Amino acid sequence: MKQFMLCILATSLLFACAANETENGTNTALKGQITTPQKQLRHVVLFSFKDSATLSDVQAVEAAFAALPNKIPQIRDFEWGTNNSPEGLDKGFTHCFFLTFDSEEDRAAYLPHPDHKAFGEVLSPHLKDVLVIDYWVED
């Protein structure tokens, strides 16, 4: 009897799942909950530091950049890290900072923002080179 009940339950679940699928396999039970991803504007910043920059100098730059998302509300997302690629193609760039904005207007507010300018003052004495690339995320 127990096996019969489990079989009935399993069959019911299979039919319920099948009833919620459309021809292309999309689960219609979640259809109302699925949203189209919002476009994202990425701002990628790469730094190389002068030979004269000490570990303490570089750490101060890292901390100052990492503090910007708490000071500039237009920054939607932020991450950063240091190069660890084994390919040897970094051309001296050691740090990558990755910011996300919802719009060009948000990026336009970020660039002249007083806290961004203050960060530039921390960075500039130690900066050897910078590379910036912005792009819209493609699906």
Side-chain angles (χ1 to χ4, degrees):
M1 181 71 170
K2 194 183 248 185
Q3 288 178 334
F4 177 74
M5 293 303 287
L6 286 174
C7 184
I8 295 291
L9 179 61
T11 303
S12 297
L13 286 173
L14 284 172
F15 281 118
C17 290
N20 284 331
E21 288 189 358
T22 63
E23 291 176 10
N24 66 2
T26 303
N27 187 330
T28 57
L30 298 177
K31 188 175 181 181
Q33 299 172 13
I34 297 173
T35 58
T36 303
Q38 185 175 356
K39 285 181 68 175
Q40 296 178 335
L41 180 59
R42 304 280 200 216
H43 180 70
V44 182
V45 182
L46 305 174
F47 292 151
S48 66
F49 291 96
K50 294 178 182 176
D51 292 338
S52 60
T54 65
L55 178 60
S56 177
D57 295 332
V58 172
Q59 289 173 337
V61 169
E62 293 168 349
F65 209 154
L68 290 181
N70 292 324
K71 298 177 179 181
I72 304 175
Q74 289 82 5
I75 298 172
R76 180 168 167 236
D77 196 21
F78 173 85
E79 63 183 57
W80 73 275
T82 57
N83 179 48
N84 68 0
S85 173
E87 296 177 289
L89 301 173
D90 54 73
K91 298 185 180 184
F93 290 97
T94 58
H95 287 66
C96 180
F97 296 86
F98 194 81
L99 293 81
T100 301
F101 299 97
D102 287 331
S103 66
E104 290 179 1
E105 293 79 16
D106 285 352
R107 178 186 55 195
Y110 159 78
L111 291 173
H113 193 282
D115 288 310
H116 183 232
K117 296 290 185 184
F119 163 69
E121 296 297 319
V122 173
L123 170 66
S124 63
H126 313 294
L127 184 65
K128 179 179 178 181
D129 201 1
V130 63
L131 174 67
V132 177
I133 295 177
D134 292 359
Y135 65 93
W136 284 103
V137 173
E138 298 288 335
D139 291 332

PDB file of all heavy atoms in Angstrom, residues 49 53 58 64 75 85 91-92 96 99 117 130:
ATOM      1  N   PHE A  49      51.497  50.515 -10.869  1.00  0.00           N
ATOM      2  CA  PHE A  49      52.044  51.453  -9.896  1.00  0.00           C
ATOM      3  C   PHE A  49      53.519  51.723 -10.158  1.00  0.00           C
ATOM      4  O   PHE A  49      54.242  50.870 -10.678  1.00  0.00           O
ATOM      5  CB  PHE A  49      51.848  50.903  -8.478  1.00  0.00           C
ATOM      6  CG  PHE A  49      50.407  50.880  -8.050  1.00  0.00           C
ATOM      7  CD1 PHE A  49      49.638  49.731  -8.176  1.00  0.00           C
ATOM      8  CD2 PHE A  49      49.807  52.015  -7.534  1.00  0.00           C
ATOM      9  CE1 PHE A  49      48.311  49.699  -7.792  1.00  0.00           C
ATOM     10  CE2 PHE A  49      48.477  52.004  -7.148  1.00  0.00           C
ATOM     11  CZ  PHE A  49      47.722  50.845  -7.280  1.00  0.00           C
ATOM     12  N   ALA A  53      56.238  53.206  -5.357  1.00  0.00           N
ATOM     13  CA  ALA A  53      55.063  52.973  -4.503  1.00  0.00           C
ATOM     14  C   ALA A  53      55.351  51.824  -3.539  1.00  0.00           C
ATOM     15  O   ALA A  53      55.715  50.730  -3.955  1.00  0.00           O
ATOM     16  CB  ALA A  53      53.843  52.656  -5.357  1.00  0.00           C
ATOM     17  N   VAL A  58      50.153  51.340  -1.886  1.00  0.00           N
ATOM     18  CA  VAL A  58      49.222  50.563  -2.708  1.00  0.00           C
ATOM     19  C   VAL A  58      47.999  50.162  -1.885  1.00  0.00           C
ATOM     20  O   VAL A  58      46.860  50.248  -2.361  1.00  0.00           O
ATOM     21  CB  VAL A  58      49.925  49.333  -3.328  1.00  0.00           C
ATOM     22  CG1 VAL A  58      48.925  48.424  -4.028  1.00  0.00           C
ATOM     23  CG2 VAL A  58      51.026  49.774  -4.301  1.00  0.00           C
ATOM     24  N   ALA A  64      41.036  53.217  -0.487  1.00  0.00           N
ATOM     25  CA  ALA A  64      40.318  54.414  -0.937  1.00  0.00           C
ATOM     26  C   ALA A  64      39.348  54.084  -2.067  1.00  0.00           C
ATOM     27  O   ALA A  64      38.218  54.594  -2.099  1.00  0.00           O
ATOM     28  CB  ALA A  64      41.311  55.486  -1.373  1.00  0.00           C
ATOM     29  N   ILE A  75      27.091  53.922  -7.835  1.00  0.00           N
ATOM     30  CA  ILE A  75      27.819  52.671  -8.066  1.00  0.00           C
ATOM     31  C   ILE A  75      26.901  51.533  -7.634  1.00  0.00           C
ATOM     32  O   ILE A  75      26.602  51.377  -6.452  1.00  0.00           O
ATOM     33  CB  ILE A  75      29.142  52.627  -7.273  1.00  0.00           C
ATOM     34  CG1 ILE A  75      30.062  53.761  -7.721  1.00  0.00           C
ATOM     35  CG2 ILE A  75      29.822  51.269  -7.459  1.00  0.00           C
ATOM     36  CD1 ILE A  75      31.319  53.916  -6.869  1.00  0.00           C
ATOM     37  N   SER A  85      47.253  36.145 -13.331  1.00  0.00           N
ATOM     38  CA  SER A  85      47.273  35.383 -14.584  1.00  0.00           C
ATOM     39  C   SER A  85      48.658  34.793 -14.837  1.00  0.00           C
ATOM     40  O   SER A  85      49.668  35.491 -14.723  1.00  0.00           O
ATOM     41  CB  SER A  85      46.899  36.285 -15.762  1.00  0.00           C
ATOM     42  OG  SER A  85      47.064  35.590 -16.986  1.00  0.00           O
ATOM     43  N   LYS A  91      51.203  43.469 -19.020  1.00  0.00           N
ATOM     44  CA  LYS A  91      51.874  44.730 -19.394  1.00  0.00           C
ATOM     45  C   LYS A  91      52.101  45.641 -18.194  1.00  0.00           C
ATOM     46  O   LYS A  91      52.053  46.860 -18.305  1.00  0.00           O
ATOM     47  CB  LYS A  91      51.093  45.440 -20.493  1.00  0.00           C
ATOM     48  CG  LYS A  91      51.020  44.619 -21.766  1.00  0.00           C
ATOM     49  CD  LYS A  91      50.356  45.346 -22.884  1.00  0.00           C
ATOM     50  CE  LYS A  91      50.335  44.421 -24.105  1.00  0.00           C
ATOM     51  NZ  LYS A  91      49.788  45.054 -25.280  1.00  0.00           N
ATOM     52  N   GLY A  92      52.312  45.042 -17.035  1.00  0.00           N
ATOM     53  CA  GLY A  92      52.609  45.816 -15.831  1.00  0.00           C
ATOM     54  C   GLY A  92      51.401  46.211 -15.006  1.00  0.00           C
ATOM     55  O   GLY A  92      51.546  46.767 -13.921  1.00  0.00           O
ATOM     56  N   CYS A  96      42.856  45.366 -10.860  1.00  0.00           N
ATOM     57  CA  CYS A  96      41.652  45.544 -11.666  1.00  0.00           C
ATOM     58  C   CYS A  96      40.496  45.923 -10.742  1.00  0.00           C
ATOM     59  O   CYS A  96      40.232  45.233  -9.752  1.00  0.00           O
ATOM     60  CB  CYS A  96      41.329  44.255 -12.419  1.00  0.00           C
ATOM     61  SG  CYS A  96      39.846  44.367 -13.437  1.00  0.00           S
ATOM     62  N   LEU A  99      33.483  48.274 -11.761  1.00  0.00           N
ATOM     63  CA  LEU A  99      32.301  48.961 -11.250  1.00  0.00           C
ATOM     64  C   LEU A  99      31.142  48.752 -12.212  1.00  0.00           C
ATOM     65  O   LEU A  99      31.343  48.664 -13.426  1.00  0.00           O
ATOM     66  CB  LEU A  99      32.556  50.466 -11.114  1.00  0.00           C
ATOM     67  CG  LEU A  99      33.562  50.894 -10.057  1.00  0.00           C
ATOM     68  CD1 LEU A  99      34.979  50.755 -10.569  1.00  0.00           C
ATOM     69  CD2 LEU A  99      33.315  52.317  -9.644  1.00  0.00           C
ATOM     70  N   LYS A 117      37.035  62.335  -7.109  1.00  0.00           N
ATOM     71  CA  LYS A 117      38.170  63.261  -7.272  1.00  0.00           C
ATOM     72  C   LYS A 117      39.146  63.134  -6.097  1.00  0.00           C
ATOM     73  O   LYS A 117      40.367  63.145  -6.290  1.00  0.00           O
ATOM     74  CB  LYS A 117      37.668  64.705  -7.388  1.00  0.00           C
ATOM     75  CG  LYS A 117      36.825  64.969  -8.611  1.00  0.00           C
ATOM     76  CD  LYS A 117      37.657  64.920  -9.856  1.00  0.00           C
ATOM     77  CE  LYS A 117      36.819  65.303 -11.065  1.00  0.00           C
ATOM     78  NZ  LYS A 117      37.559  65.175 -12.301  1.00  0.00           N
ATOM     79  N   VAL A 130      47.268  53.840 -16.221  1.00  0.00           N
ATOM     80  CA  VAL A 130      45.881  53.438 -16.013  1.00  0.00           C
ATOM     81  C   VAL A 130      45.268  53.100 -17.372  1.00  0.00           C
ATOM     82  O   VAL A 130      45.621  53.701 -18.386  1.00  0.00           O
ATOM     83  CB  VAL A 130      45.067  54.540 -15.298  1.00  0.00           C
ATOM     84  CG1 VAL A 130      44.990  55.814 -16.125  1.00  0.00           C
ATOM     85  CG2 VAL A 130      43.673  54.039 -14.931  1.00  0.00           C
TER      86      VAL A 130
END
